[in-house]
């Protein structure tokens, strides 16, 4: 009898725990694959602090994330590309919250690590004008390197992508022909190559296609042990994609009030030329009280304690002056008209 009572009590505890999990607050987000390795870690760590809250993030690309937050089918979005004025007009009250900085690595296979490339040469590869690794414009940049006389397989994103927007923004700055023919957007009409979905898809194609070249967030290149090119920056130096080089690209930035900024091809001897802020997209005025408060407090945690997790995953933390500006923005978040964080 005693054993039966103990068993019944245990069942009731387990049922109670299950009910608590079922009643936990679920906050849904979608968007950029660029920061997914970090966001995944953030949401996991934050759930340990707030087990009653669970953040469900779908890494589906910036274009899809912008679409879903605009249509309010998710509670927050994520993008590496700031929204355009027409996009913001369709989503009044939507804020850009910078979370970290990241670098886009140019990676490839069948060639040595540290291949040197300039912006114009990279643009001509993606324009389909340079088609072989033995092209004189590449060999002249890499004296003494053994470059095979093999075809270059260009790999790009197939989905709407903030990573693509940053990459094509860079190419538009270093190549007048790219700017005129292709331009800079989350989705472009690619002159050459094969498409992969997400940073994951591009990484997979680069690993599997002979002679491939692609652009991926630094964390994906490092995690998959892919070689990375040295790019010539605006100061004329060939630099690798690193956390330090990413931070250097943001040094001295005058951040606009709405945080929409490009830091590609930034000046400075150590600046890496394809770097960017990445953003979480949230509405200033939240209609759901519980979710609105949860999102505001998570964002405050992310720009403070969350920054400690950035560097181990190959992202650069926000510079202190920008953290101060983001703090001021987060203090304006409202739930049903009332400030959430206030004079924190």
């Amino acid at each position: 009898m005693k054993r039966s009572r103990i068993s019944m009590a245990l069942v009731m505890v387990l049922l109670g725990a299950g009910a608590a999990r079922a009643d936990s607050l679920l906050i849904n987000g979608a968007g950029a694959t660029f920061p997914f390795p970090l966001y995944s870690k953030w949401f996991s760590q934050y759930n340990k602090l707030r087990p009653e809250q669970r953040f469900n993030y779908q890494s589906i690309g910036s274009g899809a994330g912008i679409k879903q937050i605009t249509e309010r089918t998710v509670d927050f979005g994520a993008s590496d590309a700031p929204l355009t004025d027409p996009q913001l007009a369709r989503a009044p009250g939507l804020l850009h919250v910078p979370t970290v900085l990241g670098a886009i690595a140019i990676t490839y296979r069948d060639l040595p690590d540290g291949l040197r490339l300039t912006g114009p040469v990279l643009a001509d590869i993606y324009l389909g004008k340079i088609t072989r690794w033995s092209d004189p414009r590449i060999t002249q940049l890499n004296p003494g390197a053994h470059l095979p006389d093999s075809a270059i397989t260009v790999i790009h994103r197939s989905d709407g992508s903030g990573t693509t927007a940053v990459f094509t923004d860079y190419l538009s700055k270093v190549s007048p022909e790219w700017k005129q023919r292709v331009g800079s957007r989350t989705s472009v009409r690619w002159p050459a190559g094969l498409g992969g979905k997400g940073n994951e898809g591009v990484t997979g194609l680069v690993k599997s296609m002979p002679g491939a070249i692609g652009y991926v967030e630094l964390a994906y290149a490092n995690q998959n042990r892919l070689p990375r090119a040295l790019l010539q920056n605006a100061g004329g130096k060939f630099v690798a994609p690193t956390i330090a080089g990413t931070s250097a690209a943001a040094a001295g930035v005058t951040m606009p009030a709405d945080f929409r900024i490009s830091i590609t091809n930034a000046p400075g001897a150590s600046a890496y030329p394809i770097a960017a802020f990445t953003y979480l997209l949230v509405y200033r005025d939240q209609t759901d009280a519980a979710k609105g408060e949860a999102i505001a407090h998570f964002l405050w945690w992310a720009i403070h304690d969350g920054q400690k997790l950035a560097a181990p995953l190959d992202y650069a933390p926000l510079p202190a002056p920008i953290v101060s500006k983001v703090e001021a923005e987060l203090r304006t978040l409202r739930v049903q008209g009332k400030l959430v964080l206030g004079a924190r």
Side-chain angles (χ1 to χ4, degrees), residues 54-254:
R54 186 162 63 88
F55 284 78
N56 171 43
Y57 181 70
Q58 300 298 315
S59 173
I60 56 176
S62 296
I66 291 170
K67 182 176 186 295
Q68 292 199 19
I69 190 62
T70 300
E71 296 173 350
R72 294 180 181 261
T73 57
V74 291
D75 303 308
F76 65 93
S79 178
D80 316 314
L83 275 69
T84 63
D85 289 343
Q87 286 175 322
L88 276 179
R90 294 191 291 272
L94 190 65
L95 303 180
H96 292 73
V97 180
T99 52
V100 289
L101 299 107
I104 296 175
I106 304 304
T107 188
Y108 43 85
R109 58 165 283 178
D110 304 331
L111 290 100
D113 195 19
L115 181 75
R116 291 187 169 202
L117 294 172
T118 65
V121 166
L122 183 60
D124 281 352
I125 290 173
Y126 270 81
L127 284 167
K129 297 174 67 176
I130 295 177
T131 60
R132 304 193 74 80
W133 286 113
S134 58
D135 187 282
R137 292 179 64 190
I138 300 177
T139 59
Q140 287 170 10
L141 293 171
N142 297 275
H146 175 68
L147 300 179
D149 183 27
S150 58
I152 299 174
T153 304
V154 171
I155 308 296
H156 56 73
R157 289 283 289 272
S158 61
D159 54 327
S161 159
T163 307
T164 291
V166 174
F167 180 59
T168 56
D169 176 63
Y170 167 69
L171 294 183
S172 293
K173 289 179 179 179
V174 297
S175 169
E177 183 177 357
W178 182 276
K179 183 176 182 178
Q180 181 180 9
R181 284 183 54 188
V182 184
S184 173
R185 291 177 297 279
T186 55
S187 295
V188 299
R189 188 183 296 276
W190 294 99
L194 304 173
K197 186 175 175 61
N199 275 278
E200 302 94 334
V202 172
T203 299
L205 284 176
V206 170
K207 291 174 69 175
S208 63
M209 300 294 294
I213 185 171
Y215 59 96
V216 297
E217 201 282 321
L218 178 59
Y220 292 86
N222 285 345
Q223 289 170 8
N224 289 274
R225 298 181 180 178
L226 293 171
R228 292 142 298 169
L230 304 181
L231 292 180
Q232 189 178 48
N233 64 16
K237 300 284 185 67
F238 285 92
V239 292
T242 62
I243 295 170
T246 302
S247 296
V253 161
T254 301

Side-chain angles (χ1 to χ4, degrees), residues 299-315:
L299 289 172
W300 190 270
W301 176 89
I303 68 165
H304 294 98
D305 293 353
Q307 297 298 298
K308 301 169 188 174
L309 302 174
L313 292 173
D314 299 310
Y315 299 88

Side-chain angles (χ1 to χ4, degrees), residues 80 82 169 253-256 258-264 275-277 279:
D80 316 314
D169 176 63
V253 161
T254 301
M255 182 65 81
D258 62 7
F259 299 105
R260 294 188 295 164
I261 191 171
S262 165
I263 58 170
T264 58
F277 288 93
Y279 307 91

